[in-house]
Amino acid sequence: LVGLLPLTAFAADPKTIYVDAKSGSDTNDGSKESPYNTVVKAVAAAESGDTIQLGEGNYTLYGVDSTGHTRGKDLTFVGLGADKTGWNIGAEVPNPDYFGTEYNSDYSFDGSGTVTFIDMTLRSGEANYLGFTRPDNTVVENCTINGKTFYWGYKSATFTNTTFNCPSGDYAIWTYSSPTMTFENCTFN
């Protein structure tokens, strides 16, 4: 009789995973009371639709293969504010031998769905071609972006209440990679 009943798959409700770069541990369970130490551990544990709450500190996934981490997932990263939480985009010190290429770009979201950043500072360097290479969509809300960036969402990128601080005499964002880019209530310095 049980074999005749239709099976229905229920998706798990999205969850919040906590990361604290100062006092977390990757042997913890990622709960608010027992946060992970690294964002790498958090994205590996995350399912599509989950939110990753970042504590005070600097974070990056640069150099981490998206397979088993971000590929195929929609993820939201929430900081504690631009003055407390930072995200480094691309190589911390870009290799000058690869100037003018995508080598120094950040492929950690390659093949991901929608990646959202809220309430943090996103940091890039002064080299060309830095950015998040090959996510479908990026959403940036209430953030500050320091440096110049090139790659965002390959289908769309949306920036809301975002401040762009470019290097002196240079650009803040090159809109080459996204067919649709939306800017709402943004400031460009």
Side-chain angles (χ1 to χ4, degrees), residues 66-156:
S66 65
T67 303
H69 294 97
T70 61
R71 184 177 296 272
K73 296 178 183 178
D74 298 327
L75 296 171
T76 299
F77 299 88
V78 180
L80 298 177
D83 59 333
K84 294 185 178 171
T85 305
W87 189 285
N88 297 327
I89 302 170
E92 187 173 336
V93 180
N95 185 335
D97 295 337
Y98 295 99
F99 182 77
T101 72
E102 293 181 17
Y103 172 81
N104 294 312
S105 193
D106 193 333
Y107 287 85
S108 58
F109 294 106
D110 183 13
S112 62
T114 298
V115 179
T116 302
F117 297 95
I118 301 172
D119 295 329
M120 67 182 74
T121 293
L122 300 166
R123 298 183 184 105
S124 183
E126 295 184 8
N128 286 318
Y129 304 101
L130 295 176
F132 298 115
T133 303
R134 299 189 193 130
D136 285 343
N137 309 291
T138 52
V139 177
V140 179
E141 298 176 8
N142 301 319
C143 289
T144 298
I145 299 176
N146 293 331
K148 61 185 185 179
T149 60
F150 191 90
Y151 296 108
W152 289 93
Y154 275 49
K155 291 183 180 176
S156 72

Side-chain angles (χ1 to χ4, degrees), residues 29-40:
D29 63 8
S31 65
K32 187 174 186 177
E33 299 76 24
S34 189
Y36 292 129
N37 177 254
T38 66
V39 72
V40 175

